[in-house]
Amino acid sequence: YLGTSILTDSDIFQDVVVKIERPTYHKPFLGGFKNRITGVEFHNAGSQTIPKKRPDKGIKLFCRETQTVFEKNKPQQTRNITSTQMTKIGLYVSNMTDKLVSPGKYLTAEEYHKRRLEAVIVLQKYFRRWHAINIVQNLREEKRLRLAWEAQEELRRKKEKEEKLRREHERRLNPKTKEDFELLYQALRLWRQEEAERINRTLTGAERKAAFCGLLEQEAQLIASIGRHKLNADEENQQKAILHFLDKCAQPKRWKAYDGKITEMDTPYTLRARELFEIYRSISMNDIPKDERMDVLLTLRCTVKEHECKLTQEIVELIDREVDLMSREVKECNLEGLRKRICTLFLQYIKTPKFNPEVAKILKVPPDPLKLYKNVNFCHSCENYLPFSEFPVPANSRTIGRCRLCCTLDNEARRRQAFLKYKLILENLRKSEADYQDDAKIVFLVQREDLQYMIENIWGCQSALSGCSDLYELVMVRWDKQHEWSPWNTILLTKDEAEAHLRLCNLQEAYEAAFIHRIKHKHIRAKNYFAQFPAMASFLRRTDNQANAN
């Protein structure tokens, strides 16, 4: 307690006792500061009011049990209290709207489940009938589509066969390539054989000799006719080859980027080659107006005048001569020889690397003689020095024999065989092997002669499955597609059979043992034949090592 005196209204001091209550709780620290010199701490002010206590309700509010909720579902039926009014004395209730309900037949549990089972059986019958109808309709639709597809495929094969026959007929009527003339000479050989058999079968004595003399004259006339066609085709093909050669020189540099896009770049050399190509194409055109011809000749004259030499002087002289003759109204038919001379000399000008540097990379005869000596061979038949690319080298060849031109000439003169079918089979085989992208090498060593020997002597010129003998329909594919193609890992099939064969995963399950044994026997024959050649021996040993390892 603390005593103090206070001033009242009557200017009298009165002593009053003041009661001081000490707090029972610790005053919280609400912040402050400290004097660093004296070390006295000063606290911020805080309330001295005693916090209000919550009244005690006698119930424990903060406990673990109150934090957990227990739910319980319990259905309840509420009461529905109704009353019924009955007829009695003094009250009439109408019964016009009442219904008379009579009890029906009582069903036992067995009868009830029996009815349900019968109803389920009826539903299943109708459902199975609907399901069977759907299956039959789907099968009919699949059959219809299959028959339509087969008819379409048959029609396609028929059209392809007709188109192939039409192309062969067109090739024989208008031959243009080497293969076309091979077909012509083969047809001539077959015709001569048929005529000789007919003469031997029907005629004897002097009549037979006279018939053979007539046959020989007809054969000579046909050969002369084929020769005339060949000269015309060679002239046309030569002009096409020249244009292709010049277009190849004028192509820009191309390379493929990392994203697969093709980038093209023109160099001064390609631009020069393109300019010369356009001038040559304009010079070689016929039936152009006189004014345009004069402009082209002036452009050519300005172009060749850039270099002074004997060739350019001769070209300029011929151009001046043609311009002079055209000014004198000379007929164009009389200028054909002069124009051909200008084209020939200008082509020689284009093929000179000094005037057209881009052409040096494409010429068969390089300007540097040292490069020519390393890639040249002598043909003992035509006695010409030719590059190695002009000599066919089959796998069984140990020396370089005659060039391609001599082989073609010998075939036209004596055997007269057509190799177009074998070339097509080899091209398809190489294309399919390149699509595997597994670094196949043997297929590019095998030449047309080797493939022809395999097809004729080992596979008998027919499919191993169906026996089809049309070489246009046959292809060679891998026997085991996990390994690269080789003469001892191949099979001869039609195109449809080859497509189905390459989809097989297990050959042992797909084919019978007798068929597999027959194919293996052909593979052994091919091994024995190609094992004689050094180029194939190393691949054969590697294949045997892999087989032993497996």
Side-chain angles (χ1 to χ4, degrees):
Y1 296 91
L2 179 64
T4 184
S5 59
I6 60 174
L7 182 62
T8 60
D9 294 341
S10 59
D11 294 335
I12 299 174
F13 288 93
Q14 184 179 357
D15 294 332
V16 179
V17 179
V18 180
K19 185 179 180 180
I20 300 174
E21 294 182 358
R22 300 293 179 182
T24 58
Y25 67 96
H26 180 69
K27 178 183 176 182
F29 175 71
L30 302 177
F33 57 92
K34 178 180 180 181
N35 193 336
R36 290 187 297 176
I37 299 176
T38 61
V40 179
E41 294 183 356
F42 298 93
H43 294 180
N44 293 341
S47 174
Q48 294 182 355
T49 306
I50 299 175
K52 184 179 180 180
K53 294 184 179 180
R54 295 181 180 180
D56 188 9
K57 298 180 181 180
I59 300 174
K60 189 177 181 181
L61 299 178
F62 302 98
C63 64
R64 185 173 183 178
E65 286 75 9
T66 58
Q67 306 297 322
T68 307
V69 178
F70 295 95
E71 295 182 356
K72 186 176 180 181
N73 295 329
K74 184 177 180 181
Q76 294 181 352
Q77 179 67 35
T78 60
R79 297 179 179 181
N80 186 12
I81 300 175
T82 60
S83 61
T84 304
Q85 182 67 49
M86 305 294 294
T87 301
K88 63 179 183 177
I89 300 174
L91 178 64
Y92 172 75
V93 178
S94 176
N95 58 358
M96 296 299 294
T97 58
D98 292 351
K99 295 180 180 179
L100 182 61
V101 179
S102 60
K105 183 180 178 181
Y106 178 75
L107 290 177
T108 61
E110 293 180 358
E111 294 175 348
Y112 171 75
H113 290 297
K114 183 179 179 182
R115 287 181 58 187
R116 285 174 60 88
L117 180 60
E118 292 176 353
V120 167
I121 291 174
V122 172
L123 290 175
Q124 287 181 350
K125 287 181 179 178
Y126 282 101
F127 173 77
R128 289 171 180 171
R129 180 174 178 272
W130 171 81
H131 188 61
I133 290 173
N134 288 340
I135 291 177
V136 171
Q137 288 179 350
N138 292 335
L139 291 175
R140 286 176 179 172
E141 183 66 17
E142 291 179 1
K143 180 182 178 181
R144 184 186 66 80
L145 294 176
R146 177 70 182 184
L147 293 177
W149 178 81
E150 290 180 355
Q152 186 177 1
E153 286 294 311
E154 186 67 25
L155 183 62
R156 182 184 62 82
R157 292 193 189 97
K158 186 178 180 181
K159 287 183 178 180
E160 286 182 356
K161 190 173 182 179
E162 292 176 355
E163 182 66 19
K164 180 186 67 176
L165 294 175
R166 187 191 64 79
R167 285 199 304 267
E168 284 193 5
H169 185 68
E170 182 67 22
R171 279 182 165 184
R172 293 178 181 180
L173 288 179
N174 300 311
K176 295 180 180 179
T177 62
K178 297 179 181 178
E179 290 79 10
D180 299 346
F181 286 100
E182 284 182 358
L183 292 175
L184 265 182
Y185 281 112
Q186 185 188 30
L188 177 62
R189 177 177 63 87
L190 295 176
W191 170 81
R192 189 186 183 284
Q193 288 179 356
E194 292 177 358
E195 290 296 319
E197 291 177 359
R198 182 183 62 82
I199 291 172
N200 287 328
R201 187 175 60 254
T202 58
L203 301 176
T204 57
E207 295 180 353
R208 176 174 172 274
K209 290 183 180 181
F212 271 116
C213 290
L215 178 62
L216 183 61
E217 291 179 0
Q218 291 181 11
E219 184 180 7
Q221 292 176 1
L222 291 175
I223 291 175
S225 176
I226 294 174
R228 287 191 296 270
H229 281 288
K230 196 170 185 180
L231 290 176
N232 297 332
D234 288 343
E235 184 178 356
E236 184 179 352
N237 292 336
Q238 184 180 7
Q239 187 64 22
K240 290 182 179 179
I242 291 172
L243 294 177
H244 177 72
F245 173 81
L246 297 179
D247 182 61
K248 191 175 181 180
C249 295
Q251 291 296 323
K253 307 295 182 182
R254 290 187 178 90
W255 63 88
K256 184 180 289 187
Y258 67 94
D259 55 354
K261 295 182 179 179
I262 303 297
T263 305
E264 296 183 354
M265 182 186 70
D266 278 317
T267 63
Y269 296 158
T270 58
L271 294 175
R272 171 69 175 176
R274 193 173 306 159
E275 178 186 359
L276 297 176
F277 174 48
E278 294 296 334
I279 295 175
Y280 179 83
R281 187 161 55 183
S282 302
I283 285 292
S284 59
M285 289 176 61
N286 297 323
D287 301 331
I288 61 174
K290 185 181 296 185
D291 298 339
E292 295 183 9
R293 179 71 183 181
M294 295 286 288
D295 294 339
V296 172
L297 290 175
L298 291 177
T299 304
L300 176 60
R301 193 176 190 280
C302 296
T303 303
V304 299
K305 284 287 286 184
E306 297 175 0
H307 304 86
E308 291 291 340
C309 65
K310 185 178 180 180
L311 177 62
T312 57
Q313 291 175 2
E314 190 173 354
I315 294 175
V316 170
E317 290 177 0
L318 293 177
I319 292 173
D320 294 339
R321 188 183 305 174
E322 182 178 355
V323 171
D324 182 52
L325 293 176
M326 289 176 65
S327 63
R328 296 172 184 269
E329 301 296 333
V330 177
K331 295 182 180 180
E332 292 189 358
C333 60
N334 297 328
L335 298 176
E336 291 182 0
L338 180 60
R339 291 177 178 177
K340 286 183 179 180
R341 288 187 61 191
I342 293 176
C343 289
T344 305
L345 292 178
F346 184 57
L347 180 61
Q348 185 179 350
Y349 174 87
I350 294 175
K351 289 185 177 182
T352 306
K354 181 181 178 181
F355 310 137
N356 185 14
E358 190 68 20
V359 82
K361 302 177 181 178
I362 308 177
L363 287 175
K364 289 186 177 180
V365 180
D368 187 5
L370 296 178
K371 295 183 179 179
L372 181 63
Y373 295 155
K374 298 177 182 178
N375 188 26
V376 71
N377 193 57
F378 180 71
C379 177
H380 294 277
S381 179
C382 60
E383 297 183 351
N384 289 327
Y385 288 94
L386 300 170
F388 283 109
S389 59
E390 297 297 327
F391 293 86
V393 184
N396 60 350
S397 177
R398 299 184 181 273
T399 59
I400 297 179
R402 296 175 298 179
C403 63
R404 297 183 186 275
L405 183 60
C406 294
C407 294
T408 305
L409 186 62
D410 179 71
N411 180 50
E412 292 174 357
R414 295 192 299 175
R415 294 178 297 170
R416 295 175 183 170
Q417 296 180 354
F419 306 110
L420 176 61
K421 301 176 182 179
Y422 303 106
K423 291 178 181 177
L424 293 177
I425 294 176
L426 184 59
E427 289 177 2
N428 293 332
L429 176 59
R430 288 179 175 174
K431 183 179 178 181
S432 63
E433 285 299 305
D435 293 338
Y436 281 104
Q437 296 181 355
D438 56 355
D439 196 20
K441 299 178 181 178
I442 301 178
V443 68
F444 298 101
L445 293 177
V446 173
Q447 301 299 315
R448 190 262 309 161
E449 294 83 0
D450 307 322
L451 191 72
Q452 181 180 357
Y453 175 84
M454 291 173 55
I455 294 175
E456 292 180 351
N457 299 318
I458 297 179
W459 295 95
C461 293
Q462 61 182 5
S463 170
L465 280 174
S466 60
C468 176
S469 58
D470 186 4
L471 291 180
Y472 283 111
E473 296 293 330
L474 298 181
V475 292
M476 265 197 171
V477 293
R478 297 182 179 184
W479 167 251
D480 184 3
K481 61 182 178 181
Q482 303 299 330
H483 301 90
E484 70 169 304
W485 183 92
S486 62
W488 47 90
N489 183 33
T490 183
I491 184 172
L492 185 65
L493 301 170
T494 63
K495 296 177 181 178
D496 297 336
E497 293 169 354
E499 185 178 354
H501 171 78
L502 294 176
R503 289 200 298 264
L504 298 177
C505 297
N506 192 340
L507 301 177
Q508 308 297 329
E509 296 178 358
Y511 297 119
E512 295 181 353
F515 178 79
I516 296 176
H517 177 73
R518 189 164 68 250
I519 299 299
K520 294 295 183 182
H521 177 67
K522 295 181 183 296
H523 291 170
I524 293 173
R525 290 179 58 189
K527 275 187 181 181
N528 294 335
Y529 175 75
F530 285 96
Q532 310 171 30
F533 315 137
M536 290 290 183
S538 59
F539 294 102
L540 187 59
R541 287 194 297 270
R542 186 180 65 182
T543 305
D544 292 340
N545 294 335
Q546 290 179 356
N548 294 332
N550 293 333

